[in-house]
Amino acid sequence: MSSNISLKEAISIGIGGMVGGGIFAVLGLAVSIAKGGTPVAFLFAGILALLTSYSYVKLSQKYPDRGGTVKFINQGFGISIFSGAINNLLWVSYIIMLSLYASAFGSYAPNLLELTHNKTIDFHIYASAIIILATSINYYSIAVVGKIESYAVVIKLIILIGFIGIGSYGLIGNPNLSQLAISHWETPIQLFAAGMVIFVAYEGFELIANAAPDIENPKKNIPRAYYYSVIFVIILYIIIAIVTVGSLPFDKIAKAEDYVLAEAAQPMLGKIGFTIITVAALISTFSAINASLYGGSRVNYEIAEDDELPHHFMSKLWNQPVGLFITAMATLVLVNILNLETISTAGSVGFILIFGIVNFVGFKCAKETGSNKLIPLLGSAFCLLALIILIHQQYQSNLTGVIVSVVIIGLCFISEWIFKSLEKRNT
């Protein structure tokens, strides 16, 4: 077993996975639901991510495997219709995340260069083109994907921390600062629901699990990698939310919902600030698409290897797993037919359900992993509560998102049941 991933690299995998396109895509959505309480919404989502990271730490230490989440679910439930369906949901959730990142790219890019005089057409052209480009890079060289990701993490963090520094200074005497007052917050339930809709902005820490077998000094560094990256991102997101809500009036945020971070840089830095943040968003979403395409095709391959998908998914197409091509095609379809809120809701429902189940596995395997049983149990209960509140809130404001989520989960179970039934018949 080769140990060649340092603590610094493991933390950057976690931060890079979370601060991908998520914050650029969902910040405006969070403000539209939570208003002045947006920083609290990000805190709620962050607490759920932190609770879940405890289960990931313990499971990663006991069962280090490049299959990560897939292996943990199989460890807890064996190879069954249930574990197969949940692992398929993980793959589909990767596709939804890819759609979210492509959607963010398509929203930011026309602000830099309009191709037609119609923003909707531009959105579809850019969102589709970036998926095709990232897929081509994945086919060309996996090493290039890794290089792009390592540079992109540094660039986006420098720009976001710069945005925080200049933005915080710009808050002095800004009349919009009053929007952060408790009187402008939505109800606690609404704040919690907002946090769950944008939970996708945190899901990337689970990528550390895939790197666990290669992390140096795993006993010490696996917990540090998870906790440091999640806590850093919680603080980063909360400050970004404070600066955004304190910089722009709510009506302006609503108008620029899909590219609000670039709009928030304008009061301090004018057009240059808008352009810099737009470029950062394009780099971030592009690197996130690149890495998630690779991750999604790996998940698909692992599931087929574990006999939870037909073995055809283990075959190669142009020297890469066929899952890469299928993942890219499915992303192209989703990003062109669903809106941002529906994509975000479906992604959050998928990951909260998966994390709830991983927490339950953490509880179930507590004796083997040497865990405190209470923390994974609390994480599992919190995920269940989050799902109920999220579905209830979205049922009232975004019924399409709820229907899409339920249909996706249903299809994962039905397809796994059909596959297992056919497999049994053929043996």
Side-chain angles (χ1 to χ4, degrees):
M1 203 180 274
S2 64
S3 294
N4 51 16
I5 294 178
S6 67
L7 174 62
K8 199 171 80 180
E9 288 166 332
I11 291 170
S12 73
I13 288 169
I15 293 173
M18 287 181 276
V19 190
I23 185 68
F24 295 98
V26 300
L27 180 61
L29 185 59
V31 179
S32 72
I33 302 171
K35 296 289 187 283
T38 303
V40 182
F42 275 105
L43 177 63
F44 281 146
I47 290 168
L48 183 58
L50 197 55
L51 264 176
T52 304
S53 69
Y54 177 83
S55 296
Y56 269 92
V57 165
K58 296 297 184 181
L59 292 166
S60 298
Q61 286 178 317
K62 181 68 182 170
Y63 312 111
D65 193 289
R66 286 189 185 88
T69 304
V70 172
K71 299 296 180 188
F72 300 158
I73 289 166
N74 290 343
Q75 187 67 43
F77 298 96
I79 304 289
S80 61
I81 290 173
F82 179 79
S83 61
I86 297 302
N87 284 329
N88 285 332
L89 178 63
L90 177 67
W91 175 44
V92 175
S93 296
Y94 263 95
I95 294 168
I96 294 166
M97 288 306 298
L98 280 159
S99 312
L100 184 78
Y101 300 149
S103 175
F105 191 95
S107 298
Y108 276 86
N111 295 317
L112 216 55
L113 178 67
E114 282 189 23
L115 300 175
T116 67
H117 292 298
N118 185 316
K119 272 207 164 177
T120 308
I121 294 170
D122 281 0
F123 166 85
H124 289 293
I125 293 170
Y126 276 118
S128 304
I130 199 63
I131 296 163
I132 293 163
L133 175 63
T135 307
S136 308
I137 290 170
N138 267 267
Y139 272 114
Y140 171 68
S141 165
I142 293 303
V144 173
V145 174
K147 268 202 173 66
I148 289 171
E149 190 54 29
S150 58
Y151 287 124
V153 169
V154 176
I155 294 167
K156 63 193 170 192
L157 282 180
I158 289 170
I159 293 174
L160 284 174
I161 290 165
F163 167 82
I164 285 170
I166 296 161
S168 302
Y169 178 74
L171 291 181
I172 300 165
N174 192 316
N176 296 310
L177 204 54
S178 63
Q179 292 183 154
L180 289 159
I182 294 177
S183 56
H184 289 287
W185 293 14
E186 291 293 342
T187 62
I189 292 284
Q190 189 84 344
L191 293 184
F192 189 76
M196 295 313 110
V197 170
I198 52 94
F199 184 74
V200 285
Y202 283 105
E203 61 73 35
F205 71 84
E206 61 104 23
L207 294 174
I208 297 171
N210 304 75
D214 302 319
I215 294 175
E216 291 167 1
N217 192 356
K219 199 170 164 33
K220 253 172 118 169
N221 287 343
I222 286 177
R224 287 175 174 179
Y226 279 106
Y227 299 142
Y228 290 179
S229 59
V230 173
I231 290 166
F232 174 82
V233 171
I234 291 172
I235 295 165
L236 183 76
Y237 284 173
I238 289 172
I239 300 172
I240 287 173
I242 290 169
V243 170
T244 304
V245 175
S247 298
L248 290 173
F250 288 134
D251 58 338
K252 239 186 180 172
I253 292 174
K255 201 175 162 201
E257 186 175 293
D258 295 350
Y259 52 91
V260 71
L261 212 57
E263 197 65 49
Q266 214 157 321
M268 295 86 71
L269 295 171
K271 193 72 186 151
I272 292 173
F274 184 90
T275 305
I276 290 169
I277 295 291
T278 301
V279 169
L282 298 180
I283 292 169
S284 288
T285 47
F286 171 55
S287 80
I289 291 164
N290 237 340
S292 300
L293 266 172
Y294 175 67
S297 65
R298 288 298 312 158
V299 164
N300 175 266
Y301 187 87
E302 294 276 352
I303 299 168
E305 207 174 34
D306 288 339
D307 210 25
E308 292 171 331
L309 269 177
H311 284 186
H312 301 302
F313 285 100
M314 289 167 68
S315 55
K316 297 280 179 90
L317 179 68
W318 303 313
N319 285 332
Q320 291 298 338
V322 71
L324 175 60
F325 182 75
I326 297 165
T327 301
M329 289 302 106
T331 304
L332 269 174
V333 172
L334 277 191
V335 78
N336 284 298
I337 61 170
L338 299 178
N339 68 19
L340 183 72
E341 189 170 5
T342 299
I343 294 169
S344 189
T345 301
S348 289
V349 166
F351 275 108
I352 292 168
L353 179 59
I354 290 159
F355 286 169
I357 289 163
V358 171
N359 277 317
F360 185 73
V361 172
F363 167 72
K364 213 174 162 185
C365 302
K367 203 178 234 176
E368 294 87 55
T369 59
S371 307
N372 175 332
K373 268 191 158 185
L374 189 64
I375 301 171
L377 187 62
L378 197 63
S380 203
F382 200 12
C383 285
L384 180 64
L385 178 70
L387 261 186
I388 293 165
I389 291 174
L390 170 61
I391 289 168
H392 178 259
Q393 190 273 336
Q394 287 291 288
Y395 182 79
Q396 293 167 323
S397 66
N398 177 28
L399 186 58
T400 312
V402 175
I403 292 168
V404 169
S405 306
V406 171
V407 167
I408 286 170
I409 294 166
L411 284 173
C412 287
F413 275 90
I414 292 164
S415 59
E416 189 63 24
W417 177 75
I418 291 169
F419 169 60
K420 287 290 183 196
S421 302
L422 289 172
E423 203 179 35
K424 205 177 271 181
R425 200 177 296 166
N426 292 336
T427 50

